[in-house]
Amino acid sequence: MNENLKKWLPWIAVAAVAIIVIIVIASSGDEGEEEAAPTTTAAPTTTEAPTTTAAPTTTVAPTTTEALPEFEAIPVKLGTLLPQTGGLATIIDALENPIRMGVDEINAVIPGLVTVEYGDSGTDPAVGSVTVDKYLDGTFNGILGAAASGVTTAVVDKVQDSNVVMCSGSNTGASLSAPEFNPYYIRTAPSDVLQAPLLGSVVQDDGHETVVIAYRNDTYGVGFADLLEGFLTDNGAEVSKIAYPPDSVSFTDVADEVAASGADALVMITFSEGGQMILDLQGKYEGAIYVADGFKDSVGADQLGGDATLLFGIRGTAPSSSPANGTPGFSDRLEAAYPGTPLIFSSHFFDCLLVEVLAAQEAQSSDPAVYVNNLISVTKDGTKCTSFGDCYDLLVAGEDIDYDGASGPLDFGADGEPGIGTYDIFTYDADGAAQTDGQAVAPPGA
């Protein structure tokens, strides 16, 4: 081949491509002409690999991004099942006010995200069942409550059947850990499986080896009494038990049985009726008395004929109202928002609210049949956060979260409840006020 021709061939090729491009551009310049269509279809053929290779790459990314749903704020509507009346009505402010504060804090981050309707459980299965029915009409995304284990036991089956999430911040009944209550029932309060051995160890550490247990014949009382008896007998104590109907108004017969037992320690597993039991024990029993959270929550001067000093020297255990391993500042925020609110189980109900709302955000659905699968995951194995705002920001950023609550690290197990419990050990002073002697984590070493 002629050497001069070899030198010019590359330039001739470039010129040819340029002429073709000019023709294409000129042909497509008037979009209104019919001839534009065939010319446009010819363009891809003339621009094979080099000039259009980048185009598929840049168009694939936006298409993939558009296919992924954007993170949205998911509104949630909840109903409460709490004792506005009945035996636990004395602590209603401790249960409702932290929920109100939590709603305000969440809605300060995202206005209108959460709405709550407040309903009565009556501390009575019949009353609680009526209230629950209106929450199963398809317009509510979850329930906060019940407060009493017996009320929960009475309604939990129909809640499960309706695929509605239910979270209690004060149910401690051991039987509620059973597999049949999963997955729609969860609780932030630790089970009596943890508390009963702790209370038993307090009794024995005080030197008592003959113990009588007087207990409500319901879910809470039976479960606690059986666990306590098992721990004490396993550790060498002599134990007797006395059951009574939960609606009892007189405890003369119970007092006589306690006195006849000869036990040097009495453990009372009661609600507010424990006040009348104390009155009926006067002059009949002089031994040491121990109580648990059901008594501490609901017995004061009003249940003791106005004389709170009758509580002097009584000792007991209860889930900590202000645990050292909980979110700092919770009790201060609650006092500022609702002055004078008792703290018993307040942090636990606050956490119930946040767990349900955060699970819905993580699931990107307010349908409880969907977000039920996120109730456990938002409490463990992710980036730690302690407020709704911080947790929400992490979710928006695509991170898994580990919500550590006001009631302590939750770290739900497969049964949807804390695997550890933080408890106050307390003694009533001469004025009838419960003074915390210390805190203990159960099981030991957890």
Side-chain angles (χ1 to χ4, degrees):
M1 182 181 291
N2 185 292
E3 293 300 321
N4 289 329
L5 181 58
K6 288 182 180 180
K7 293 179 181 179
W8 285 100
L9 277 176
W11 294 102
I12 292 170
V14 170
V17 172
I19 290 168
I20 292 170
V21 171
I22 291 169
I23 291 170
V24 171
I25 293 172
S27 300
S28 59
D30 188 348
E31 296 177 359
E33 292 183 359
E34 293 180 3
E35 291 83 3
T39 308
T40 305
T41 55
T45 306
T46 60
T47 56
E48 291 178 1
T51 54
T52 60
T53 303
T57 305
T58 56
T59 55
V60 168
T63 304
T64 304
T65 302
E66 288 168 9
L68 295 173
E70 292 185 5
F71 194 93
E72 298 179 3
I74 304 298
V76 177
K77 181 180 180 181
L78 305 172
T80 71
L81 182 63
L82 297 174
Q84 297 171 344
T85 60
L88 289 178
T90 53
I91 62 167
I92 187 61
D93 287 346
L95 312 182
E96 286 188 345
N97 285 349
I99 295 172
R100 297 180 198 277
M101 183 181 79
V103 169
D104 289 342
E105 292 182 350
I106 292 170
N107 288 343
V109 177
I110 303 174
L113 188 71
V114 183
T115 56
V116 174
E117 183 172 317
Y118 295 86
D120 186 20
S121 72
T123 325
D124 182 317
V127 175
S129 184
V130 172
T131 300
V132 162
D133 285 344
K134 69 179 181 180
Y135 297 150
L136 306 182
D137 65 358
T139 67
F140 288 82
N141 308 123
I143 299 171
L144 301 173
S149 296
V151 174
T152 295
T153 302
V155 303
V156 71
D157 284 345
K158 62 181 173 181
V159 172
Q160 293 270 35
D161 292 343
S162 300
N163 294 346
V164 174
V165 169
M166 182 178 187
C167 180
S168 174
S170 59
N171 287 167
T172 62
S175 64
L176 290 170
S177 298
E180 60 262 31
F181 297 116
N182 299 331
Y184 288 94
Y185 170 76
I186 62 172
R187 55 179 166 181
T188 54
S191 167
D192 288 331
V193 169
L194 302 175
Q195 184 177 187
L198 176 62
L199 180 56
S201 67
V202 171
V203 172
Q204 289 194 298
D205 288 348
D206 287 347
H208 304 295
E209 294 300 334
T210 56
V211 182
V212 57
I213 305 169
Y215 63 98
R216 297 170 58 90
N217 193 11
D218 66 2
T219 302
Y220 168 64
V222 172
F224 201 126
D226 287 349
L227 289 163
L228 181 60
E229 178 188 29
F231 176 85
L232 289 170
T233 54
D234 286 348
N235 287 276
E238 180 182 331
V239 180
S240 58
K241 295 193 297 183
I242 304 168
Y244 66 86
D247 58 355
S248 297
V249 295
S250 173
F251 295 91
T252 301
D253 291 345
V254 172
D256 289 341
E257 286 189 62
V258 169
S261 72
D264 56 23
L266 163 66
V267 180
M268 296 169 47
I269 310 300
T270 77
F271 286 162
S272 60
E273 74 279 1
Q276 185 61 49
M277 188 181 296
I278 293 292
L279 291 172
D280 291 345
L281 285 166
Q282 299 304 301
K284 294 185 176 182
Y285 179 72
E286 301 298 331
I289 298 177
Y290 295 82
V291 297
D293 51 280
F295 181 100
K296 183 175 183 286
D297 297 350
S298 55
V299 176
D302 290 346
Q303 289 72 41
L304 293 164
D307 187 4
T309 63
L310 293 175
L311 298 172
F312 178 58
I314 293 176
R315 284 168 54 72
T317 59
S320 179
S321 55
S322 186
N325 56 2
T327 306
F330 168 79
S331 58
D332 293 337
R333 299 200 322 272
L334 184 59
E335 176 62 23
Y338 297 95
T341 298
L343 290 176
I344 186 66
F345 289 120
S346 58
S347 61
H348 299 84
F349 269 104
F350 178 88
D351 286 343
C352 266
L353 170 69
L354 263 71
V355 168
E356 289 200 28
V357 175
L358 288 171
Q361 306 313 305
E362 183 177 76
Q364 286 289 275
S365 174
S366 61
D367 182 351
V370 176
Y371 83 75
V372 67
N373 298 306
N374 299 78
L375 294 168
I376 293 174
S377 65
V378 297
T379 71
K380 63 191 303 182
D381 300 334
T383 302
K384 289 188 178 296
C385 54
T386 58
S387 70
F388 173 78
D390 288 346
C391 292
Y392 184 80
D393 286 346
L394 289 170
L395 289 173
V396 171
E399 294 195 40
D400 292 331
I401 63 170
D402 176 358
Y403 171 64
D404 279 357
S407 62
L410 296 172
D411 293 333
F412 281 171
D415 51 3
E417 62 184 45
I420 65 171
T422 305
Y423 296 90
D424 291 336
I425 301 171
F426 60 87
T427 305
Y428 285 97
D429 65 18
D431 296 322
Q435 302 297 327
T436 301
D437 302 323
Q439 289 186 353
V441 174

